[in-house]
């Protein structure tokens, strides 16, 4: 058989993805109907296993408890590109599709990520495609991207079940990325036009996770408040202290602090003697994030000092800021312009939110586009998919064609990516940084 041209390879890939769309929508809907939170995604993992089985793929399981890796072998050995999809949901109890017991809902779009991961696999499995590529492709379903239920995950960590709270952090630690050279995934975003958009990823914030506990002294709130030490007042003073220093943070560092109170007292007529909170401290770069965290800790502790309470803070390694690879982004941009109106393919602005794909991006080349295909707010109760062709077909086609560009022609595209990429951290340096953040104050 004559060697396929790159254009012929891409045509076969795109046609196979389009043909698979009805099946992929069913899988996405099934995952949407049974949302699960991080490190608990057993049903979702089983659904991906069944999809891999139906595709005839061999795979490994148990990565970060629930993660799965399937490998497509190329015509010759070379670089390995991972296409990632996330298994977990977010907490959004008011969403119509939320689990009534856990409040979990896929208004994060991770069910669409899984559909895209499978779609890329189906496209690359079209006749003659992988044989035309030098290198392998890993379909990687990963756990626990949403950094929620911090107390629960911290207990798993204390039990030795996991080392890190974030899924990709745990996978890096376990060595699940050791056989991967570069990676890609997508996230959904609110569509600004009826055609949807491909927003090429740029940068995003990282963050440090925090568990905060104020301890005071109980007393009758009406008869003897003078005998108590009010932990709730201490917590409020601590938050006010952080608010008092907000204008000292550089705007270019995008510092964010947004705490919640998990427990604010037991009875209204008893002075609260224990208050627990959790929060993130976000920043656009590692140095700013660490510096802001130290200053915020100082302000939080001052709230305890003000009323005579104690303030115990546990800092937990959160996620690192995102770094999108310029060469891979350029390939994705060119392929996206074949599918989207040209004006609808653009580079996004810095995002103040965070994702654990940022951790991976410090070690290897990564792209992480934000695809406009929903109405409503991401993580909101009004979230709904509005541009299905973009959600389930065009995005996967653009990403799969980018993999073709990387691995076709003796992997010339991947060679260029690796030649121009300088990792910010080695795996060992990354793990050392994570461990340095993990501390109690």
């Amino acid at each position: 058989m004559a060697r396929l041209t790159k254009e012929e390879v891409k045509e076969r890939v795109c046609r196979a993805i389009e043909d698979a769309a009805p099946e992929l929508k069913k899988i996405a809907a099934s995952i949407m109907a049974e949302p699960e939170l991080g490190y608990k995604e057993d049903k979702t993992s089983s659904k991906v296993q069944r999809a891999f089985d139906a595709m005839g793929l061999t795979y490994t399981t148990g990565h970060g408890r629930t993660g799965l890796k399937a490998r497509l072998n190329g015509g010759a050995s070379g670089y390995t590109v991972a296409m990632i999809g996330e298994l977990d949901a977010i907490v959004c109890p008011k969403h119509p599709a939320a689990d009534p017991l856990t409040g979990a809902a896929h208004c994060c779009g991770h069910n669409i990520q899984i559909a895209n991961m499978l779609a890329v696999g189906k496209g690359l499995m079209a006749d003659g495609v992988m044989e035309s590529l030098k290198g392998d492709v890993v379909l990687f379903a990963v756990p626990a991207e949403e950094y929620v239920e911090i107390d629960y995950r911290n207990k798993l960590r204390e039990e030795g079940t996991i080392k890190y709270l974030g899924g990709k952090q745990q996978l890096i630690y376990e060595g699940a990325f050791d056989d991967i050279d570069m990676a890609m995934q997508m996230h959904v975003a609110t569509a600004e036009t009826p055609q949807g958009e491909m927003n090429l990823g740029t940068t995003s914030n990282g963050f440090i996770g925090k568990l905060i506990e104020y301890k005071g002294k109980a007393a009758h709130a009406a008869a003897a408040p003078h005998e108590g030490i009010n932990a709730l007042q201490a917590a409020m003073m601590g938050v006010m202290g952080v608010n008092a220093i907000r204008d000292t943070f550089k705007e270019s560092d995008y510092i964010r602090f947004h705490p919640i109170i998990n427990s604010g007292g037991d009875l209204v007529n008893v002075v609260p003697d224990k208050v627990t909170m959790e929060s993130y401290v976000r920043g656009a770069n590692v140095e700013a994030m660490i510096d802001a965290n130290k200053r915020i800790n100082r302000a939080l502790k001052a709230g305890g000092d003000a009323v005579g309470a104690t303030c115990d803070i546990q800092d937990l390694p959160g996620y690192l800021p995102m770094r999108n690879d310029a060469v891979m982004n350029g390939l994705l941009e060119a392929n996206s312009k074949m599918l989207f109106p040209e004006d609808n393919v653009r580079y996004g602005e810095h995002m103040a939110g965070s994702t654990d794909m940022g951790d991976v991006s410090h070690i290897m080349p990564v792209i992480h586009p934000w695809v406009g295909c929903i109405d409503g707010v991401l993580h909101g109760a009004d979230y709904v998919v509005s541009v299905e062709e973009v959600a389930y077909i065009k995005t996967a086609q653009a990403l799969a064609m980018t993999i073709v560009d990387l691995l076709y022609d003796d992997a010339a595209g991947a060679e260029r990516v690796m030649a121009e990429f300088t990792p910010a951290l080695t795996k060992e340096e990354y793990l050392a940084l994570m461990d340095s953040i993990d501390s109690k104050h």
Side-chain angles (χ1 to χ4, degrees), residues 88-90 144-150 153 164-167 169 207-210 278-280 315-319 356:
D88 61 321
I90 189 67
E145 188 266 348
E146 302 290 357
Y147 200 93
V148 298
E149 295 191 306
I150 297 177
R153 295 189 192 183
Y164 296 113
L165 275 62
Q169 296 173 320
F207 71 89
I208 294 171
K210 306 182 75 61
E278 63 183 66
S279 187
Y280 302 163
D315 287 335
L316 300 165
Y319 299 159
D356 59 0

Side-chain angles (χ1 to χ4, degrees), residues 90-112:
I90 189 67
V91 177
C92 187
K94 293 185 179 180
H95 192 275
D99 184 298
L101 296 178
T102 67
H106 273 291
C107 47
C108 52
H110 292 184
N111 61 320
I112 296 173

Side-chain angles (χ1 to χ4, degrees), residues 210-216 274-277 297 300-301 304 309-315 439-441:
K210 306 182 75 61
L211 293 174
I212 307 153
E213 183 176 276
Y214 289 93
K215 292 180 181 177
K274 180 180 176 181
V275 170
T276 59
M277 302 167 57
N297 281 352
L300 291 171
K301 284 186 171 291
T310 62
C311 176
D312 297 320
I313 300 171
Q314 183 171 9
D315 287 335
S439 58
K440 293 184 179 181
H441 308 276

Side-chain angles (χ1 to χ4, degrees), residues 9 32 55 58 69 85 96 144 176 184 195 201 231 304 325 362 421 425:
V9 170
M32 183 83 176
M55 294 165 71
T58 58
K69 287 174 69 176
M184 58 178 66
Q195 298 83 17
D325 184 78
H362 279 67
F421 177 76
L425 298 167

Side-chain angles (χ1 to χ4, degrees), residues 277-299:
M277 302 167 57
E278 63 183 66
S279 187
Y280 302 163
V281 173
R282 301 188 195 254
N285 60 78
V286 173
E287 295 76 15
M289 194 169 70
I290 291 174
D291 175 68
N293 188 62
K294 290 178 180 177
R295 294 159 65 189
I296 286 170
N297 281 352
R298 188 173 62 211

Side-chain angles (χ1 to χ4, degrees), residues 9 13 38 44 65 88 109 129 138 159 203 207-208 214 231 243 301 336 342 345 376 385 427:
V9 170
V13 166
T44 310
R65 301 193 84 197
D88 61 321
V129 171
V138 165
E159 294 167 359
T203 56
F207 71 89
I208 294 171
Y214 289 93
N243 290 338
K301 284 186 171 291
S336 298
E342 186 165 342
V345 179
V385 176
K427 175 183 172 182

Side-chain angles (χ1 to χ4, degrees), residues 54-70:
M55 294 165 71
L57 298 174
T58 58
Y59 54 89
T60 54
T61 62
H63 303 286
R65 301 193 84 197
T66 56
L68 307 92
K69 287 174 69 176

Side-chain angles (χ1 to χ4, degrees), residues 223-261:
H226 56 282
E227 295 180 0
I229 298 174
N230 195 314
L232 182 58
Q233 296 287 12
M236 292 191 293
M237 291 283 285
V239 172
M240 289 171 63
V242 177
N243 290 338
I245 63 171
R246 285 184 187 273
D247 64 347
T248 68
F249 298 131
K250 290 169 56 179
E251 292 184 10
S252 58
D253 288 335
Y254 291 92
I255 302 300
R256 301 287 189 272
F257 175 71
H258 40 85
I260 62 170
I261 294 178

